[in-house]
């Protein structure tokens, strides 16, 4: 059983995906962390995000990045991740790791941008989680402040809109709702309501499979 959870920044997809993994007893992969790890290694070692060759080379260092590194979540790294994730060479360098995880015998929950469309097109259930840019910017600011990092609402909103634009309009695996995905708009939901709605949608899909 594979559950695909896609959506834009701070829609709640990561929290929802972790909750689904717990509920159904499945392993979970946050695929955005792979792109963030590439971005962080470029940020640290001075790679040029405008250069696809350098970005592809940085994919080799993904396994060395500490997944607990707080810098992975910084806005600077988010912006680089969104730029380098548009390169087909970067996407293909990270593809097998994600497909392999999705194919694990226990089943899996993956969250990202292209899980339902590219990584696991035959997933048992697909959710496309969204919320208005303003709500998502508020969530991200709260999260940054909680982590002791700087977060200014106007700047974060600009960054979120820029990432939405880049992620949705790139040629390679753009962010879009798969035709067979259920839409979950969490703008007016708190996180517990969003998780409960996600579980209901997935259970309904599995019941009709
Ligand atoms: O948590 P948030 O939605 O802010 O970001 P993320 O999921 O960690 O992803 C960071 C960036 O990686 C996104 O802006 C995308 O450009 C890219 N990404 C992607 O292209 N494909 C994925 N499956 C996951 C992330
Ligand atoms: O993975 P993604 O960037 O889509 O979002 P997330 O990391 O799951 O959620 C971003 C923040 O928004 C977290 O602090 C969530 O608890 C919060 N959130 C919320 O307050 N209400 C929701 N309905 C969804 C997320």
């Amino acid at each position: 059983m594979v559950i695909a959870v896609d959506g834009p920044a701070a829609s709640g997809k990561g929290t929802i995906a972790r909750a689904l993994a717990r509920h159904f007893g499945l392993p979970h992969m946050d695929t955005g962390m792979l792109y963030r790890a590439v971005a962080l290694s470029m940020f640290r070692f001075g790679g040029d995000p405008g250069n696809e060759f350098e970005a592809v080379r940085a994919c080799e260092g993904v396994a060395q990045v500490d997944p607990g590194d707080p810098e992975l979540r910084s806005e600077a790294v988010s912006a680089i991740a969104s730029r380098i994730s548009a390169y087909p060479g970067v996407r293909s360098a990270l593809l097998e790791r994600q497909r392999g995880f999705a194919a694990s015998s226990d089943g899996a929950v993956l969250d990202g941008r292209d899980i339902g469309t590219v990584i696991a097109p035959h997933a048992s259930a697909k959710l496309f989680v969204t919320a208005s840019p303003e709500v998502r910017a508020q969530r991200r600011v709260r999260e940054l402040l909680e982590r002791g990092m700087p977060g200014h609402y106007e700047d974060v909103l600009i960054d979120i809109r820029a990432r939405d634009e880049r992620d949705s309009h790139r040629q390679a695996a753009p962010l879009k709702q798969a035709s067979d995905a259920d839409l979950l708009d969490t703008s007016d939901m708190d996180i517990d309501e969003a998780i409960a709605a996600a579980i209901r949608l997935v259970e309904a899909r599995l019941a009709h499979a």
Side-chain angles (χ1 to χ4, degrees):
M1 172 160 99
V2 176
I3 303 175
V5 184
D6 290 301
S11 54
K13 64 187 176 304
T15 312
I16 287 170
R18 279 192 300 278
L20 288 170
R22 248 192 328 272
H23 183 83
F24 292 102
L26 299 171
H28 165 239
M29 178 184 261
D30 171 357
T31 65
M33 286 306 256
L34 299 173
Y35 294 91
R36 287 176 182 276
V38 176
L40 180 60
S41 79
M42 296 194 84
F43 182 66
R44 292 248 164 95
F45 302 115
D48 174 11
N51 181 319
E52 177 166 4
F53 178 75
E54 289 187 23
V56 171
R57 206 171 46 193
C59 293
E60 290 164 17
V62 162
Q64 274 86 57
V65 174
D66 169 10
D69 192 321
E71 188 95 59
L72 279 168
R73 290 257 145 224
S74 72
E75 287 304 294
V77 167
S78 303
I80 299 172
S82 162
R83 287 182 66 190
I84 56 96
S85 68
Y87 295 132
V90 168
R91 304 203 72 84
S92 58
L94 300 177
L95 185 74
E96 271 321 304
R97 199 182 293 256
Q98 299 172 77
R99 286 249 169 97
F101 191 86
S104 61
S105 54
D106 295 342
V109 182
L110 294 91
D111 76 275
R113 299 290 186 290
D114 63 338
I115 309 302
T117 51
V118 174
I119 302 296
H122 304 298
S124 333
K126 300 180 184 178
L127 294 181
F128 192 82
V129 184
T130 189
S132 73
E134 291 78 11
V135 167
R136 291 188 281 120
Q138 279 164 7
R139 290 177 186 163
R140 194 39 53 91
V141 168
R142 199 174 57 211
E143 231 178 4
L144 288 167
L145 297 178
E146 277 167 11
R147 295 193 166 116
M149 295 163 87
H152 182 268
Y153 174 76
E154 292 300 333
D155 294 343
V156 171
L157 181 58
I158 289 169
D159 173 73
I160 278 189
R161 286 192 196 281
R163 272 207 291 149
D164 285 357
E165 178 71 22
R166 261 197 306 268
D167 291 348
S168 312
H169 291 103
R170 66 184 178 216
Q171 291 282 313
L175 167 68
K176 69 163 191 253
Q177 183 179 350
S179 56
D180 53 351
D182 289 311
L183 180 66
L184 178 57
D185 186 333
T186 69
S187 301
D188 299 319
M189 294 179 187
D190 67 24
I191 190 61
D192 293 333
E193 291 168 332
I195 289 170
I199 291 173
R200 276 197 303 275
L201 286 170
V202 171
E203 280 177 343
R205 278 281 166 180
L206 297 178
H208 291 107

